[in-house]
Structures are given as structure tokens and as C-alpha cells.
């Protein structure tokens, strides 16, 4: 049987939202999706800046449209998290009002619409909400947080928009730079740093071996290898697909690349579809491992040569549904190389609000999900 956590009031529900996301959102708009009375996912967006009503309508239409891509979703709760106060009434009430209208036009039932400010919280749909909002202490005091933690729903994940690179010793960074410079000058036949296509299958085996090692065991030569891969689109795309979808996917991508280089006509464009977010869901554990490894690689690379590594990190985060983190890495990549191809592609997808198709592929039955009761003033 699925776990049932009952939200008796708005404070209870707001106490549960961070557990549903895995972190405490800030300056965000969160749309919690429902199938009936059971949650089936949540989307987090950066809180839009002040805008005209027409702009808010366009923004709300995009957000609700993304939520509607979740199979069988029929209801939602909207929550804004803001640094503003309730001194002059509920902040962002205009945004919530537009969202409610757009959701209802789209056929979604709106169970509630909340704002959490720096000094209070309130529901847009509760006629009894005081102008100054309810005390934030009501959320902190909710007993459901302890219940959620007991069910394994933590809030320990790093916020979506916060990304940092690990520390790398100056000595290791210098070794990586020397290896890369040497590889640029002398492409030794048979080595995995060679630019030619022949080592692609060897590269897949080598990368798989590196992914299986503890990150602390990776040496300067390993980091330089992956850094060189990140700079070479042919190899980079193979490794991205390998990290996300497994060794067999890497072999398939390598075979397609080699065939294309030999002038063969290739009808299978599955790799391109996967890179653009169309296809089966990738392995999240492998993506997380890829992020861990490529973060170390990026930190070890010379700053002027990090664009490719940043673009790989951005794609891994985007594939996990985290556009905010992807955007941070893309900004860094384009600072290194304003014309970087993959970075520009991911930038267009992120800024256009596009998530991979698999981000919306929420199973219709999942015994590990949590159900929430309807809130008191939502009929």
C-alpha cells in the first residue's frame, strides 16, 4: 500500500512541499501535480520578475502546459516562494491569479494556490486568510515534517540553482594542463586521446572503467582524458549517451559515428533524439555519477578550455530535469566560448522552457509515492 500523509491544512501542505522536492525552494514557483488526491510530481520554476498581465499570461500558459504533459494529471497546487513581505498584502497574487485561471481553462482542478514570503504565508483561495498572512511558525511547527522524514522524504538535496566545482590541487591542475597540451601537439596512434575515430570503441570501455572507480582514485591522466573528450564533439556525444543510457548505448553511438565517418548512409538517428530529450528515461544514478566525475574534470581543466566540460555537466543536469543547474553551467560554458555549439543548443532548450520528454513520464502506479488529502477550503 502507498504511504498516505494527510495535510490537514495549508501549513501542513507547505511543510510537505520541500520533502516532495528534496530541498527547500527559494525565489521559486512550484506546481505540484495530482492524479485525483495523489501527487504525481512537481515542477519548480524560477520566480518570474514583475511583468505586465499579458506577459504573466504567456508565462502561466507555458508553465501549465508543461504540467499538463504529465500523464493523467488532473489537478494542481501552486506555491510561490519569495523574498517579499506581506506588509502590503500577498506578494505575487497577480501571478497566482493568472495561474489559477490558466489551469482551470486547461481543465485542471486547482486545489490551492499559496504564497510563502519572508514574514508570512497565505492561500489565495482562502477567503479567511488575513491580509498580513499566517505566521511562518505554523509551517515549522507542522507535525507532518517528522512523518515525511520517517518515510524517507528528506530535504537534504542541494537547491537546484546552486552548483559549485570541487577543489583540485594546483599540482593536479598543472598535470592535466600539461597532458592536454601534449595531446594537442602529439596525437599518438592507439591512445584514447587521439582525435581520429578509430579509438571510439576503446574509449567506451575506458570511460566505463573510470565511471566505476571511486572519484578519489581518478588521477590527472584520467581527468585529462575526459577533458579531451569534452572538447571533441564526436567523442563527447558518445560519452554523454554512454553515461546517461549505459555502455551498450555508448557502443551503439560509437558504431553510428564510425559508420558515418566511413561514408555509410545511416537511417538511425536515435542518438540525436536522445540528446534532444526524446526517448526512454536515462539512468539517474549514472547521470549523478557523470555529474560527480565531470565536475572534478571541469575543475581540473584550464579555465579557457572548460566550455565542453561545462556543456556536458549542463546536459546531465538538464536530463535530470534540473534546468536551473543546467543554466548555470551553460552560462559558464558560453563565457569560455561564446560560440560553443552544444552549449548554444542547450541554452535554447533551457531558455525556451523545454525539458526532456522523460521528465514528464511519471508512472501511473508507483507504490512509493505519497498521497495528500484535499485541503479544507478546496472543495
Amino acid at each position: 500500500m502507498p504511504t498516505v500523509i494527510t495535510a490537514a491544512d495549508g501549513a501542513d501542505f507547505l511543510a510537505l512541499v520541500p520533502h516532495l522536492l528534496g530541498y527547500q525552494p527559494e525565489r521559486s514557483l512550484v506546481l505540484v501535480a495530482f492524479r485525483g488526491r495523489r501527487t504525481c510530481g512537481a515542477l519548480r520554476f524560477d520566480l518570474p520578475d514583475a511583468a505586465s498581465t499579458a506577459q504573466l499570461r504567456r508565462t502561466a500558459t507555458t508553465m501549465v502546459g508543461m504540467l499538463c504533459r504529465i500523464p493523467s494529471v488532473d489537478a494542481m497546487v501552486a506555491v510561490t516562494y519569495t523574498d517579499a513581505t506581506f506588509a502590503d498584502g500577498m506578494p505575487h497574487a497577480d501571478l497566482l491569479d493568472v495561474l489559477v485561471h490558466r489551469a482551470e481553462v486547461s481543465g485542471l482542478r486547482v486545489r490551492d494556490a499559496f504564497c510563502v514570503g519572508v514574514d508570512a504565508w497565505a492561500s489565495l483561495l482562502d477567503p479567511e486568510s488575513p491580509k498580513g498572512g499566517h505566521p511562518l511558525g505554523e509551517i515549522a511547527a507542522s507535525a507532518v515534517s517528522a512523518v515525511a522524514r520517517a518515510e524517507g522524504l528528506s530535504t537534504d538535496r542541494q537547491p537546484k540553482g546552486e552548483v559549485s566545482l570541487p577543489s583540485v590541487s594546483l599540482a593536479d591542475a598543472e598535470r592535466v594542463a600539461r597532458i592536454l597540451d601534449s595531446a594537442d601537439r602529439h596525437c599518438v596512434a592507439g591512445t584514447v586521446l587521439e582525435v581520429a575515430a578509430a579509438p571510439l570503441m576503446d574509449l567506451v570501455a575506458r570511460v566505463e572503467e573510470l565511471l566505476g572507480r571511486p572519484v578519489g582514485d581518478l588521477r590527472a591522466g584520467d581527468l585529462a582524458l575526459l577533458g579531451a573528450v569534452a572538447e571533441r564533439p564526436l567523442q563527447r556525444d558518445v560519452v554523454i549517451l554512454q553515461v546517461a543510457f549505459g555502455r551498450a548505448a555508448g557502443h551503439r553511438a560509437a558504431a553510428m559515428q564510425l559508420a558515418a565517418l566511413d561514408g555509410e548512409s545511416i537511417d538511425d538517428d536515435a542518438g540525436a533524439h536522445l540528446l534532444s530529450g526524446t526517448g526512454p528515461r536515462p539512468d539517474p544514478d549514472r547521470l549523478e555519477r557523470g555529474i560527480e566525475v565531470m565536475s572534478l574534470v571541469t575543475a581540473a581543466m584550464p579555465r579557457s578550455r572548460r566550455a565542453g566540460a561545462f556543456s556536458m555537466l549542463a546536459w546531465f543536469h538538464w536530463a535530470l530535469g534540473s534546468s536551473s543547474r543546467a543554466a548555470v553551467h551553460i552560462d559558464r560554458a558560453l563565457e569560455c566560448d561564446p560560440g560553443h555549439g552544444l552549449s548554444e543548443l542547450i541554452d535554447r532548450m533551457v531558455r525556451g522552457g523545454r525539458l526532456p520528454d522523460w521528465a514528464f513520464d511519471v508512472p501511473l502506479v508507483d507504490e512509493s509515492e505519497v498521497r495528500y488529502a484535499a485541503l479544507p477550503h478546496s472543495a
Side-chain angles (χ1 to χ4, degrees):
M1 293 294 292
T3 300
V4 178
I5 301 178
T6 301
D9 55 24
D12 280 351
F13 186 84
L14 292 173
L16 284 167
V17 171
H19 293 278
L20 185 62
L21 294 172
Y23 60 93
Q24 177 61 52
E26 297 178 353
R27 297 178 293 283
S28 302
L29 168 66
V30 177
L31 300 183
V32 181
F34 285 80
R35 295 186 186 117
R37 294 190 176 188
R38 182 177 179 178
T39 60
C40 58
L43 297 178
R44 191 210 71 88
F45 303 90
D46 292 337
L47 191 62
D49 295 329
S52 66
T53 300
Q55 289 173 316
L56 287 179
R57 286 173 180 164
R58 288 193 292 270
T59 299
T61 298
T62 299
M63 293 174 172
V64 171
M66 292 178 70
L67 193 77
C68 287
R69 292 178 63 188
I70 297 176
S72 300
V73 62
D74 59 14
M76 76 169 203
V77 171
V79 188
T80 58
Y81 292 87
T82 177
D83 293 336
T85 76
F86 275 71
D88 298 318
M90 179 187 290
H92 304 289
D94 52 350
L95 171 61
L96 287 173
D97 188 61
V98 171
L99 272 168
V100 168
H101 175 71
R102 287 301 187 201
E104 290 174 342
V105 167
S106 300
L108 295 179
R109 179 185 175 193
V110 181
R111 291 188 175 276
D112 221 320
F114 296 103
C115 177
V116 180
V118 293
D119 56 352
W121 70 272
S123 166
L124 182 76
L125 304 185
D126 185 358
E128 297 183 3
S129 284
K131 180 180 178 181
H134 301 282
L136 292 177
E138 294 179 357
I139 301 174
S142 172
V144 299
S145 290
V147 176
R149 285 193 294 271
E151 295 295 338
L153 299 175
S154 73
T155 59
D156 296 334
R157 286 170 50 197
Q158 191 179 26
K160 294 280 185 176
E162 294 184 9
V163 288
S164 58
L165 297 178
S167 298
V168 174
S169 71
L170 179 60
D172 281 344
E174 289 176 344
R175 290 189 193 101
V176 168
R178 285 197 299 270
I179 294 171
L180 289 172
D181 288 343
S182 177
D184 290 341
R185 294 192 300 270
H186 309 289
C187 290
V188 181
T191 71
V192 288
L193 283 176
E194 189 176 10
V195 181
L200 272 179
M201 290 300 182
D202 292 339
L203 176 64
V204 171
R206 179 71 169 133
V207 168
E208 199 67 23
E209 187 264 325
L210 293 179
L211 289 174
R213 281 199 217 165
V215 70
D217 289 348
L218 297 178
R219 297 295 179 253
D222 306 322
L223 302 180
L225 162 62
L226 294 172
V229 164
E231 293 186 304
R232 298 173 170 89
L234 183 147
Q235 296 177 330
R236 179 201 64 209
D237 292 353
V238 168
V239 172
I240 286 176
L241 294 175
Q242 176 183 353
V243 169
F245 299 98
R247 183 171 185 161
H251 281 143
R252 181 175 179 79
M256 293 299 102
Q257 295 275 30
L258 291 170
L261 287 172
D262 287 341
E264 297 181 24
S265 177
I266 304 298
D267 295 328
D268 190 330
D269 57 356
H273 284 306
L274 290 172
L275 285 172
S276 65
T278 301
R281 185 187 298 275
D283 185 329
D285 291 335
R286 288 181 68 92
L287 287 171
E288 294 285 2
R289 176 61 176 163
I291 289 170
E292 182 183 24
V293 171
M294 285 308 300
S295 293
L296 185 61
V297 170
T298 309
M301 292 277 287
R303 290 183 180 274
S304 61
R305 301 184 63 164
R306 289 179 175 178
F310 274 132
S311 72
M312 292 180 70
L313 282 173
W315 193 92
F316 294 150
H317 282 296
W318 179 77
L320 285 171
S322 179
S323 290
S324 296
R325 285 187 175 185
V328 173
H329 287 306
I330 285 302
D331 287 345
R332 293 170 176 173
L334 292 174
E335 286 177 4
C336 297
D337 182 357
H340 191 259
L342 180 60
S343 298
E344 289 185 330
L345 173 64
I346 300 173
D347 188 52
R348 287 194 295 272
M349 293 192 296
V350 169
R351 294 188 187 282
R354 190 186 185 290
L355 286 173
D357 290 349
W358 54 72
F360 304 95
D361 186 20
V362 181
L364 292 176
V365 177
D366 186 342
E367 294 300 315
S368 67
E369 289 184 6
V370 178
R371 292 189 299 175
Y372 301 105
L375 302 176
H377 55 270
S378 55

